[in-house]
Amino acid sequence: MNYKADPELLKNRTVLVTGAGDGIGKIAAQSFAKHGANVILLGKTRTKLESVFDTISSETNTNPIIVQIDLANAREEQFKQLTVAIEREFGRLDGLLHNASILGSKVPIESYDTTRWKNVLDVNLNAAFILTRELLPVMRKSRDASIIFTSSGVGRKGRAFWGAYAVSKFAIEGLAEVLAQELENTSNIRVNSLNPGGTRTKMRAQAYPAEDPGTLPMALQHMALYLYLIGPDSKGITGEKFDAKTWEGF
Ligand code: NAP
């Protein structure tokens, strides 16, 4: 991979990361801040967000902000208030990484619990839709803004027993495609999907309990791609599907 982000790539930019308290989202938030971004850390567990906040505050001169929201039960009103707060604090939003997600059950469709199914769709898809819709006006204020939807291999090719998770990721790909087309000639906002592929996190361990985590890349190894897509070097790239495993930079 030959892309190397400029250390000041995201200076004076504001980026929101969902699921910023753990896993890939935590590493992405820290990486964006290290490259100058003021990062809005959205997540479910306050203590985890506080820990990321402390790391960013001690390692950078940026202004991280914690937004504790449970995306399973989020109300539209919370997202509306968030948009107002971002506009007041930063004037605009330059980047949005939809990363938060839950695995749900790994069982056949035939025995998938209805409540569980809806819960997965609420977190992985519906919250991303509502959050995006509410944030678009404040993203339009950016010179060039980027939205990344996090996908998965099972969101591009179905696989038995991945149930609501796979379906939510297919839908995320659809949302990204529709939105990318809608915004292409009417805004400076680009929209892409990114499949990180098997990565050493809690979710991966939950999905593959027998796997040796040592065989998997760490989230940090994907950060060149995350930085490229969230920052201005990817200006003009929209409606594309990226794969961290095969991306070679340029
Ligand atoms: P992870 O370690 O489980 O982290 C998921 C993050 O999402 C956590 O910060 C979690 O917060 C947050 N989250 C979960 N439910 C939430 C809710 N209701 N409200 C707000 N935040 C919530 O997962 P990961 O492996 O880093 O995955 C990150 C993204 O990559 C996901 O979209 C996943 O589908 C995708 N992905 C991962 C892999 C992989 O191998 N790891 C492969 C393909 C795709 P709490 O910790 O507070 O619950």
Side-chain angles (χ1 to χ4, degrees):
M1 178 178 316
N2 53 19
Y3 175 74
K4 188 150 175 37
D6 185 283
E8 300 204 330
L9 180 80
L10 303 176
K11 196 172 171 202
N12 297 325
R13 288 179 180 248
T14 303
V15 177
L16 189 150
V17 178
T18 70
D22 213 335
I24 298 170
K26 166 181 163 172
I27 301 302
Q30 290 174 178
S31 186
F32 295 163
K34 272 199 177 144
H35 288 78
N38 294 315
V39 184
I40 301 163
L41 307 165
L42 190 153
K44 189 176 66 179
T45 312
R46 178 165 287 278
T47 49
K48 290 187 183 184
L49 298 173
E50 283 171 351
S51 161
V52 179
F53 179 96
D54 289 346
T55 304
I56 290 176
S57 301
S58 67
E59 291 180 355
T60 75
N61 289 321
T62 65
N63 297 315
I65 288 183
I66 289 177
V67 177
Q68 186 197 5
I69 294 181
D70 179 351
L71 294 173
N73 306 305
R75 289 171 289 108
E76 286 192 355
E77 194 47 38
Q78 287 174 285
F79 294 140
K80 288 188 195 300
Q81 285 168 5
L82 174 61
T83 305
V84 171
I86 291 172
E87 177 140 31
R88 196 178 48 227
E89 190 70 24
F90 301 107
R92 64 178 196 277
L93 184 66
D94 305 291
L96 171 57
L97 170 59
H98 287 292
N99 162 83
S101 193
I102 52 173
L103 187 62
S105 310
K106 278 188 74 187
V107 297
I109 297 289
E110 199 171 0
S111 46
Y112 212 106
D113 177 73
T114 308
T115 306
R116 188 76 177 130
W117 179 280
K118 288 182 174 170
N119 178 238
V120 173
L121 271 290
D122 276 342
V123 175
N124 297 7
L125 174 67
N126 297 335
F129 151 62
I130 302 168
L131 183 59
T132 304
R133 189 192 63 204
E134 292 305 320
L135 288 173
L136 280 177
V138 81
M139 295 198 83
R140 285 184 185 277
K141 301 197 173 209
S142 170
R143 265 198 324 267
D144 70 280
S146 169
I147 302 177
I148 303 173
F149 287 99
T150 306
S151 188
S152 162
V154 297
R156 292 175 181 171
K157 175 133 188 52
R159 201 179 306 155
F161 314 128
W162 282 76
Y165 177 85
V167 170
S168 74
K169 295 298 187 180
F170 266 91
I172 277 291
E173 293 279 5
L175 176 56
E177 279 183 31
V178 170
L179 188 62
Q181 271 197 16
E182 287 176 0
L183 296 177
E184 192 164 9
N185 299 314
T186 58
S187 78
N188 293 322
I189 307 172
R190 59 196 180 278
V191 183
N192 294 288
S193 77
L194 192 175
N195 169 24
T199 308
R200 205 181 308 175
T201 67
K202 287 205 185 80
M203 181 188 285
R204 178 73 186 192
Q206 191 190 342
Y208 294 95
E211 184 178 56
D212 172 7
T215 61
L216 296 167
M218 306 222 274
L220 200 56
Q221 290 168 251
H222 303 322
M223 286 306 124
L225 177 55
Y226 278 78
L227 285 161
Y228 168 69
L229 284 180
I230 209 73
D233 288 337
S234 58
K235 233 188 270 183
I237 308 285
T238 196
E240 303 277 334
K241 299 179 194 304
F242 287 83
D243 204 317
K245 234 191 229 165
T246 53
W247 190 64
E248 291 177 343
F250 50 83

